[in-house]
Amino acid sequence: MRLSRALICILLIAAAIPAAFAQNIVLRLAETQPAAYPTTYGDMEFARLVKERTNGRITIEVYPGSQLGQEKAVIEQVQFGAIDLTRVSISPLSAFAPQMDALQMPYLYRDVEHMWKALKGDIGKELLASLEPSGFIGLGWYESGARSFYNSKRPVRTPADLKGLKIRVQESKLMIGLVSAFGAVATPMAYGEVYSALQTGVIDGAENNWPSYYSTSHYEVAKYITLDEHTRVPEIIIASKISMDRLSKADQAIIKQAAMDSIDYQRKQWDIYEKVSIDKVRAAGNVIVEIKDKAPWAALMAPIYAQQTPEVQKLIERIRAVK
Ligand code: GTR
């Protein structure tokens, strides 16, 4: 029996379809920030690069706005493979990987470039790799500016003005210690609950970077912001080791490289959004207290440094030595 050419073509295509489908992979990425936010823009760029470099075979679906849960719960799910990827702050991640605390020490970096030199150099590479025994594959870092205090009660000009204020912190031991060392009452709470807690007076204030202060509308209910810039807390993209182990080595490499290649894009988006946030908050008439001399603030952080494990102390020394 001779098959016509057309029939052969149809048979070949039909045979290829299941194979192509079988190869298609969809990975879910959880993002706590809204769709219009620089970390989410970074996630989208990461997803775009993966799609392009696998000719559409791997799709990363980005779920912004905490659709897949609040950060701590998401990290747990990534650990046991229920969520494939997430972009989180290293603050909550440090509960799962305490060495990460080295990166969020108060008044550690001389400036933003110092932080990026550490992240892009050996220290950053080692810290990404150090996550594997905890069930994560560290893929890359994103910018998150500097964090400062804001509250609904009064202008804070000195650390003494923070005394007794109930300040929300991320679910991080280091952050609880830090805020307590300033004399405030640290209240750990998920990000998504902070707005109503401020509004109802359950807490007096919180601390975050400009884009978060603005995009969450916290600035509308906590009018006093003090630019003490106590920490720079990098954001991180992590994958579930369980999810990554299911992929070929070649696909793992594409994903790792794409995450790294999305960093510069995210940093640019960060700068743009940070400026917009500052302008919007100024225009709203908020009270912005500048801190010229941060030395008295930094001095209060000595006990936090003293409490760190030898492993974190060593990392801190190495970060400080980065020129
Ligand atoms: C933001 C960060 C979020 C979240 C939040 C918080 O700056 O982008 O991932 O950690 O802070 O304070 O909970």
Side-chain angles (χ1 to χ4, degrees):
M1 188 180 76
R2 284 190 57 193
L3 295 174
S4 75
R5 271 193 177 189
L7 188 58
I8 290 173
C9 276
I10 291 167
L11 288 174
L12 285 176
I13 291 167
I17 286 171
F21 271 116
Q23 281 183 352
N24 276 357
I25 297 164
V26 176
L27 301 171
R28 296 189 308 158
L29 185 152
E31 168 62 69
T32 198
Q33 298 289 6
Y37 191 89
T39 53
T40 316
Y41 297 148
D43 306 336
M44 301 296 291
E45 174 66 1
F46 166 44
R48 189 189 70 77
L49 291 172
V50 169
K51 190 156 216 168
E52 185 178 276
R53 293 172 187 180
T54 59
N55 297 315
R57 203 168 33 78
I58 302 185
T59 304
I60 295 179
E61 288 176 349
V62 176
Y63 291 85
S66 301
Q67 286 173 63
L68 302 185
Q70 298 286 326
E71 276 187 331
K72 193 170 158 233
V74 163
I75 297 169
E76 275 161 8
Q77 295 201 61
V78 169
Q79 203 174 31
F80 59 78
I83 296 176
D84 306 301
L85 297 148
T86 187
R87 188 292 310 162
V88 286
S89 163
I90 62 147
S91 267
L93 184 62
S94 62
F96 301 78
Q99 67 277 21
M100 288 290 149
D101 274 343
L103 296 176
Q104 60 163 344
M105 294 301 292
Y107 301 106
L108 172 62
Y109 306 106
R110 294 183 298 274
D111 51 28
V112 61
E113 285 315 319
H114 178 195
M115 181 185 85
W116 277 101
K117 271 194 193 144
L119 293 178
K120 289 206 163 168
D122 289 345
I123 299 168
K125 288 194 189 103
E126 284 170 32
L127 280 169
L128 288 178
S130 78
L131 292 171
E132 197 159 336
S134 316
F136 309 109
I137 305 294
L139 296 180
W141 313 102
Y142 279 171
E143 178 59 45
S144 195
R147 295 178 78 104
S148 290
F149 289 110
Y150 50 83
N151 80 91
S152 61
K153 298 283 176 213
R154 55 182 182 247
V156 167
R157 300 184 197 286
T158 67
D161 294 333
L162 281 170
K163 266 225 157 65
L165 287 180
K166 272 191 112 179
I167 302 289
R168 175 269 174 174
V169 290
Q170 288 153 297
E171 285 153 305
S172 145
K173 213 172 119 212
L174 187 131
M175 284 310 300
I176 295 170
L178 181 150
V179 165
S180 312
F182 278 129
V185 183
T187 312
M189 187 183 285
Y191 191 45
E193 290 162 20
V194 181
Y195 181 87
S196 71
L198 283 168
Q199 205 180 26
T200 55
V202 169
I203 51 172
D204 302 315
E207 49 83 52
N208 221 313
N209 49 49
W210 280 109
S212 291
Y213 181 49
Y214 168 64
S215 64
T216 51
S217 298
H218 292 178
Y219 77 104
E220 289 172 4
V221 281
K223 291 259 172 204
Y224 304 99
I225 178 163
T226 299
L227 305 180
D228 63 291
E229 303 188 326
H230 45 268
T231 49
R232 287 189 177 278
V233 183
E235 314 275 18
I236 188 170
I237 309 179
I238 52 172
S240 168
K241 181 163 159 42
I242 295 172
S243 305
M244 286 289 267
D245 283 347
R246 286 197 199 109
L247 305 177
S248 69
K249 286 270 172 285
D251 284 347
Q252 291 178 23
I254 289 174
I255 289 176
K256 284 184 180 168
Q257 192 59 46
M260 281 292 169
D261 292 346
S262 69
I263 295 177
D264 287 351
Y265 178 83
Q266 189 274 342
R267 290 182 67 187
K268 277 190 203 113
Q269 294 300 320
W270 182 269
D271 290 345
I272 296 168
Y273 198 90
E274 190 175 54
K275 286 194 186 82
V276 170
S277 309
I278 296 172
D279 288 349
K280 296 277 186 191
V281 171
R282 274 193 206 288
N286 284 29
V287 178
I288 303 170
V289 179
E290 312 257 356
I291 302 293
K292 294 243 154 57
D293 180 14
K294 300 200 180 85
W297 296 72
L300 291 170
M301 296 296 106
I304 305 300
Y305 277 85
Q307 279 158 17
Q308 298 310 308
T309 61
E311 185 192 7
V312 170
Q313 304 263 13
K314 237 191 221 127
L315 282 162
I316 293 169
E317 270 170 40
R318 286 177 61 201
I319 294 170
R320 285 206 163 123
V322 171
K323 288 285 165 285

